[in-house]
Amino acid sequence: MRFLLDARSYDEMKARNDHTPDCYVRPGEYLHHMYVDGIKYAVARALYDCLKEAREQNDYEATRHLNMHKQQLDALVAEAQASGKLSGARVLGGDVPNDDGSAPSGNSYHPKVPTTIEETGLNRTQIQDQLLRVIYNRSRVTGMELAQEVRLFYSVVDPVITQMRNSEYIDIAGQRGFGDTNYEYILTPRGSQAAEDAMKKSNYSGPAPVPFEQFLESVKAQTIKNMVITRRNIRKAFSDLIITDQVLNEVGPAVNSGASIFLFGYPGNGKTSIAERITRLMGDDIFVPYAIDADGQIIKVYDSIVHTLVDKEANIGTSAYDLRWAKIKRPVVVVGGELTLEALDLTFNETGRFYEAPFQMKANGGIFLIDDFGRQQCRPMDLLNRWIVPLEKRYDYLTTITGQKIEVPFDQLLIFSTNLDPSQVADEAFLRRIKFKIEVRDPDESQWRQIWSLVCKGRKINLDPKGLDYLVEKWYKPDDRPFRMCQPRDILDQMISIAKYNMEQVTFNPDLIDAACGTYFVSKEAKNFGAKVRLD
């Protein structure tokens, strides 16, 4: 803990009104901390004042809390006196960090470019089968096109091409330029039979797979455990959201843990937005294989839907890394009510004869967000039981169609997001394994108005504070309606749609506000329309 000793800091603390609950012993009582540039300090003068007050009030809890700080301060003062550094000192307890608030960066892992067959980790037969499938699918292809398709140097595939020619699997049908790389190859009748045999094993065609052992090494080297999040860089990542410091102070340590988070609270308060912005804190890019070979089984890992390519123009001749790997932003895999237990295991493509990696395997090195938890097509308890081993051991077991078990790393920030009470969807044993439980609370009116300002600025619409006053008085106070983070965006979109229909400009006039709110909010009055639906 760092301590501020000067009177100016004490006066500044008293003058500010933006203190978070953790600046007090209890919310609103015994203020003795303040934040300066994202750093938390205990103010020495305030500490003594609060300790005196707590003793006078016979407040045992507060006295014990403040006494612990005083003991720390006394030890630091004694240390500074002994070293002759106390005179003129303003801060005790350590140097102030000088980071610039940017996200951490610098992934040191780079897949080495293989220059020989041995360095690929594959044998000649595996590469040959891959090339045969490419030629079969494309009918006629040059040597360089073969190399580009499997993402290997031509010098690596050339010995295999020579072997295929000697075995009379392929023949030269033409030439598009000079050199061996431009020979055009087609399958011979014998080669067609070999290609069919290769496709009985798998129809996978694309970048050559990476050995499973290399995949394990990559996950370990690019672990999310190496990230360090501070109060400074988290505020920068969340700069486009109106969010309290209290929530940020809970989210930051949760990300540093690299473990698991349970976000809960009323709908519309930005739980999904919080999860998505956490990836901005991760900063660096990572490498994932397009496919891996696990004991002869090909598993596709790269997914263009959940993985965002960083280096789209990488060329086989100039790339500094093995192009069997995709360079991507740290992934954010989001699933909702459509999630089933089956989707969390290997999915066998019976036509292609290869496996598709499950969501959690694609999320390694990033975030796996289970949104609307408790509303999946399977029972919440069944889904929770599925995560007990991965959360505890940090690895997962996947099963092939032959019953073989494959142990894969589980290195991701697992986030459960729900608007249900956590005690309704999980028992104590499971909640113990979820290290951080964070409630995303409703905004107060001041924060709600700030969101209106941001949304109007983004839509290039002039905000009229009097219009917001009317909205609050007419549509919120009479029904004691709570503020939600999503409401400014949603109501403004309603106003824009209605204004288009009325062929008028969007202004905060009472008619447009009433029309938007009338179709946005549902009356609390119970009505019977003659039908019922079960929601349980």
Side-chain angles (χ1 to χ4, degrees):
M1 176 62 67
R2 297 180 179 90
F3 293 84
L4 291 171
L5 308 180
D6 59 318
R8 187 180 65 181
S9 297
Y10 176 79
D11 294 337
E12 179 186 347
M13 184 197 74
K14 287 293 187 181
R16 287 170 53 179
N17 59 2
D18 59 347
H19 300 293
T20 56
D22 63 326
C23 290
Y24 304 81
V25 174
R26 293 186 293 268
E29 299 181 39
Y30 304 107
L31 174 65
H32 59 290
H33 289 292
M34 75 171 177
Y35 285 95
V36 180
D37 294 332
I39 307 300
K40 187 177 183 180
Y41 297 91
V43 180
R45 185 174 171 184
L47 175 62
Y48 290 124
D49 289 349
C50 290
L51 184 57
K52 179 181 178 182
E53 179 186 352
R55 287 170 175 167
E56 291 174 350
Q57 299 290 335
N58 292 320
D59 191 332
Y60 175 75
E61 178 188 352
T63 301
R64 184 177 182 183
H65 178 110
L66 296 165
N67 258 330
M68 291 183 68
H69 280 317
K70 183 178 180 299
Q71 291 169 8
Q72 294 171 332
L73 177 58
D74 290 344
L76 290 172
V77 169
E79 182 181 337
Q81 283 179 330
S83 60
K85 297 180 179 179
L86 182 61
S87 179
R90 179 174 179 259
V91 180
L92 293 180
D95 297 330
V96 178
N98 57 4
D99 65 276
D100 60 0
S102 60
S105 60
N107 180 15
S108 60
Y109 178 81
H110 281 75
K112 182 182 176 182
V113 179
T115 56
T116 64
I117 293 176
E118 290 71 25
E119 289 179 356
T120 66
L122 305 174
N123 57 47
R124 285 175 178 258
T125 301
Q126 289 173 304
I127 297 176
Q128 176 179 287
D129 287 348
Q130 193 78 3
L131 298 179
L132 286 170
R133 287 191 289 264
V134 173
I135 302 173
Y136 183 90
N137 290 330
R138 297 182 58 172
S139 300
R140 190 177 180 124
V141 61
T142 67
M144 182 54 69
E145 288 172 339
L146 277 174
Q148 291 173 341
E149 184 75 16
V150 297
R151 305 290 180 96
L152 293 171
F153 275 170
Y154 182 78
S155 60
V156 176
V157 301
D158 182 46
V160 182
I161 291 176
T162 301
Q163 176 181 306
M164 292 164 64
R165 288 178 61 187
N166 293 337
S167 300
E168 298 182 352
Y169 287 163
I170 58 175
D171 203 356
I172 298 174
Q175 192 171 8
R176 297 184 195 172
F178 296 104
D180 294 348
T181 60
N182 290 304
Y183 284 139
E184 289 185 308
Y185 297 102
I186 59 173
L187 291 174
T188 65
R190 188 175 181 181
S192 296
Q193 182 60 51
E196 290 180 9
D197 292 340
M199 288 187 290
K200 288 179 182 178
K201 303 174 186 176
S202 174
N203 276 334
Y204 170 78
S205 181
V210 169
F212 186 66
E213 292 73 19
Q214 291 184 20
F215 168 68
L216 297 180
E217 292 173 5
S218 74
V219 174
K220 184 177 180 180
Q222 301 175 114
T223 176
I224 60 172
K225 293 281 188 180
N226 293 336
M227 294 184 300
V228 177
I229 308 304
T230 68
R231 295 181 190 276
R232 289 177 177 171
N233 59 35
I234 194 172
R235 173 52 70 184
K236 187 174 182 179
F238 284 78
S239 59
D240 60 337
L241 281 185
I242 301 299
I243 188 170
T244 65
D245 286 336
Q246 182 179 357
V247 173
L248 292 182
N249 291 345
E250 294 171 346
V251 169
V255 177
N256 278 337
S257 75
S260 50
I261 305 175
F262 205 115
L263 292 175
F264 63 96
Y266 288 106
N269 277 338
K271 295 185 292 296
T272 304
S273 297
I274 289 173
E276 290 172 345
R277 279 159 182 77
I278 287 175
T279 52
R280 298 180 184 177
L281 296 167
M282 297 181 172
D284 53 356
D285 305 318
I286 64 170
F287 294 91
V288 298
Y290 283 94
I292 60 176
D293 181 273
D295 294 332
Q297 306 292 332
I298 294 179
I299 304 173
K300 283 186 66 176
V301 178
Y302 173 76
D303 186 338
S304 59
I305 296 176
V306 301
H307 294 143
T308 303
L309 276 178
V310 173
D311 193 1
K312 297 181 180 180
E313 306 299 326
N315 184 280
I316 191 68
T318 59
S319 176
Y321 61 89
D322 185 353
L323 286 183
R324 294 179 297 167
W325 299 74
K327 188 177 183 180
I328 64 168
K329 295 180 180 179
R330 287 193 180 266
V332 181
V333 180
V334 181
V335 295
E338 77 283 358
L339 180 65
T340 62
L341 287 175
E342 291 75 18
L344 299 176
D345 210 333
L346 293 170
T347 302
F348 184 66
N349 185 319
E350 295 187 4
T351 302
R353 297 179 182 276
F354 58 82
Y355 291 91
E356 184 77 25
F359 291 120
Q360 69 272 23
M361 191 172 175
K362 295 175 181 178
N364 273 324
I367 291 175
F368 186 23
L369 169 62
I370 301 180
D371 208 358
D372 286 328
F373 179 67
R375 303 185 187 277
Q376 278 67 37
Q377 299 178 35
C378 54
R379 293 189 312 153
M381 190 54 63
D382 293 336
L383 192 57
L384 294 176
N385 289 337
R386 174 64 179 80
W387 295 114
I388 286 179
V389 170
L391 287 173
E392 194 81 19
K393 304 296 185 182
R394 308 303 295 175
Y395 56 77
D396 195 12
Y397 288 105
L398 305 178
T399 308
T400 67
I401 58 171
T402 61
Q404 179 185 0
K405 294 284 186 179
I406 301 176
E407 183 182 305
V408 297
F410 188 85
D411 186 74
Q412 59 214 246
L413 190 64
L414 179 62
I415 302 177
F416 296 92
S417 174
T418 183
N419 52 32
L420 302 174
D421 187 331
S423 62
Q424 293 178 347
V425 294
D427 58 15
E428 183 181 351
F430 183 79
L431 290 176
R432 177 182 64 81
R433 292 176 169 86
I434 303 294
K435 304 303 181 184
F436 288 82
K437 277 77 74 175
I438 301 174
E439 180 180 358
V440 183
R441 302 164 183 85
D442 290 337
D444 58 29
E445 185 173 341
S446 174
Q447 293 168 335
W448 182 80
R449 288 175 180 265
Q450 290 180 53
I451 298 171
W452 267 106
S453 179
L454 286 177
V455 171
C456 287
K457 183 178 180 181
R459 302 287 199 281
K460 297 182 179 179
I461 294 172
N462 292 327
L463 174 64
D464 182 0
K466 293 182 179 179
L468 291 187
D469 294 340
Y470 173 83
L471 173 59
V472 172
E473 293 293 332
K474 172 75 179 290
W475 290 95
Y476 281 84
K477 289 186 177 180
D479 293 327
D480 197 22
R481 181 171 281 121
F483 296 111
R484 302 277 194 256
M485 297 284 192
C486 66
Q487 289 167 350
R489 178 202 62 203
D490 294 346
I491 294 174
L492 186 60
D493 286 344
Q494 300 276 89
M495 293 169 63
I496 293 172
S497 299
I498 295 169
K500 287 179 180 178
Y501 180 77
N502 291 338
M503 297 174 289
E504 64 181 12
Q505 288 186 338
V506 180
T507 60
F508 280 78
N509 67 74
D511 293 340
L512 192 55
I513 292 173
D514 289 341
C517 292
T519 55
Y520 181 71
F521 294 118
V522 177
S523 173
K524 292 186 176 181
E525 180 185 351
K527 297 180 181 180
N528 185 357
F529 296 105
K532 293 183 179 180
V533 62
R534 292 185 59 183
L535 297 178
D536 56 351

